[in-house]
Amino acid sequence: MSYLLKYSIGYKTNLVATILKTNFTKLLQPTFGIAAEQFATLKIISEDNEVTQTQIAERLGKDKTTVGRSINSLINKGMLNKRDEKSDRRANNISLTQKGEEILKATIPIAKHFNESVKNKLTKEDIETYYKVLDIILEESKNMYSEKKEN
């Protein structure tokens, strides 16, 4: 029985995600000094107003340490504020600064154009199917991890 990497869902998904992140970062980095995941962090914060590092990590599917480094980088660039949560000393509320809001406002049209350029070869039905399949894979992946932890 043969196993070919090119038919691995995980491999193919990771390859696509890596190429998308790399190309999007190439659009953002020179002018705005941020990477694709930092854009996503800014966008998450703008959608939820104030969030914790843990919430950001969950939304990005990343560990808190990695997200913490990214947040600290954005704080050092003057794009984010961090303040202690009074009810839980371990949590920090993260919010956008004015500079962070300006960077996000300037980069959203780039993100929209990038997203549309990726989707322009697909039909509406292709896109709907793609999102449906990704949702199934995501849910199944979460369930596999949960089942493994319980056993």
Side-chain angles (χ1 to χ4, degrees):
M1 191 179 293
S2 165
Y3 175 80
L4 298 175
L5 195 57
K6 70 181 182 178
Y7 296 118
S8 164
I9 290 172
Y11 171 77
K12 194 76 146 195
T13 302
N14 186 59
L15 181 61
V16 170
T18 299
I19 290 169
L20 288 172
K21 282 191 294 187
T22 300
N23 289 336
F24 188 49
T25 296
K26 287 178 183 178
L27 292 174
L28 299 178
Q29 188 70 43
T31 305
F32 302 101
I34 62 172
E37 287 185 7
Q38 290 175 318
F39 168 83
T41 299
L42 295 174
K43 189 70 177 112
I44 288 167
I45 295 166
S46 76
E47 291 174 358
D48 293 341
N49 246 351
E50 283 193 349
V51 292
T52 65
Q53 181 175 325
T54 301
Q55 291 166 326
I56 295 167
E58 287 170 0
R59 293 264 314 265
L60 290 174
K62 298 282 183 181
D63 65 90
K64 288 192 300 187
T65 304
T66 301
V67 171
R69 283 193 297 269
S70 180
I71 288 169
N72 286 335
S73 173
L74 290 168
I75 289 170
N76 291 336
K77 294 175 183 180
M79 296 180 205
L80 295 180
N81 287 318
K82 185 191 314 190
R83 94 181 141 69
D84 293 336
E85 173 61 52
K86 293 177 179 135
S87 63
D88 183 353
R89 290 183 175 191
R90 295 169 296 169
N92 295 302
N93 279 327
I94 314 294
S95 61
L96 296 176
T97 63
Q98 183 174 345
K99 181 178 179 180
E101 290 174 8
E102 290 168 1
I103 295 288
L104 189 58
K105 185 178 178 181
T107 55
I108 285 175
I110 296 167
K112 284 181 179 179
H113 182 265
F114 181 80
N115 196 43
E116 290 305 314
S117 69
V118 170
K119 292 174 12 179
N120 73 4
K121 298 276 186 190
L122 303 171
T123 66
K124 183 180 178 193
E125 292 78 21
D126 289 338
I127 294 166
E128 288 172 3
T129 300
Y130 178 71
Y131 286 133
K132 181 180 176 182
V133 169
L134 284 179
D135 287 341
I136 292 167
I137 292 169
L138 180 61
E139 203 53 44
E140 185 60 27
S141 298
K142 286 179 182 178
N143 290 339
M144 287 171 27
Y145 180 71
S146 297
E147 290 168 9
K148 190 173 183 178
K149 278 180 85 173
E150 292 171 5
N151 292 333

